Amino acid sequence: MKALTVIPHQAGSAELSDVDEPPVSDGPIVVETLAVGICGTDIEILSGAYGWAPPGRERLVLGHESLGRVLEAPVDAPVAAGDLVVGIVRRPDPVPCANCAVMEWDFCRNGRYTERGIKELDGYLSERYRIAPEFVVKVDPSLGSLGVLLEPTSVVAKAWEDVDRVGRRAHWSPERVLVTGAGPIGLLAAMLGVQQGLDVHVLDQMTSGVKPDLVRELGATYHSGSVVDACDGPDVIIECTGVANVILDAMQHVGIGGVVCLTGVSSGGHAIQFDEGALNRNMVLENIAVVGSVNANRRHYEAAARALAEADHAWLDRVVSRRVPLARWEEALTRRTDDVKVVVEVGTSGPS
Ligand code: BGC
């Protein structure tokens, strides 16, 4: 079967390869891949900056934002042939650590977790894959091809859960939230904020085009410019850019007792000067909490599946801004100005 593979840490090594059918050891459920979303992590892997091949292998099958249709499943599995499904990305570490032991692999304590399409496990960008029942999540059939947004939505569902848990260290009734970055993660974080009835503001560099429109259609307020001009003193900031000065501004301008949740992964190597003492003083005297958040466990995928099912499907359809057939995969990896979420279409029998 065909798969998009890459040699991690070797830029320009991506190719459409012929690979073996998925091994039975991956699980009893056989899934036909319909679509795979491309995100910043994939671009980093393709640039040679991130990613690990399975032990003893040179190439890794790419792809962690999946949507597929079940071809075969055991009778006692939670999914059946024909169901639309998404594969969970992370697998618990083999020890397992205290968190992986209770299926909270997103908080793995020893770093020995694996991730499909990223760290030591083949991803979903192949014509078929196999998976164990505990790592597959059913998608509401009404979502159809939009189910490919489930994995990125799971990441922001976890971020919101983290914000809520940290916020509850004191009386917590947030009203205003600022999301920095209007890429797919920022837009989906804003969508979850709107679903909670919050006054949502989104900051991005773009001054026109699809991103400002998507934010307004959501019922949120769009800003370009600085954090302080966009929204001074919000209860929550969900940081989705990974840009150093935006992160610092977020920590300095969140409201008293506020929570800043960092979801963007910075590339590093761009040191900037700032007054650490003033930042510390402000954070202590105002009870500011900054929390990093990565990945998602099953609970977050399920929350994300519910959030997507109740979202405006026409809006979600505009978040998926470009669909590229597998044969033309290279086009999916080249960013265009108005791209939001770019998806590689794999299967022939697309979802209805
Ligand atoms: C994925 C996460 C993963 C993280 C770090 C993100 O792009 O969505 O599932 O944990 O990369 O590898």
Side-chain angles (χ1 to χ4, degrees), residues 39-42 50 52 64-65 89-90 113 115 118-119 151-152 154-155 185 265 294-296 301:
C39 81
T41 303
D42 300 306
Y50 195 60
W52 298 263
H64 61 277
E65 297 186 2
V89 175
R90 198 174 274 197
Y113 63 83
E115 288 182 339
I118 301 175
K119 186 170 184 268
E151 195 278 342
S154 74
V155 167
I185 291 289
V265 183
V294 71
N295 196 249
Y301 278 81

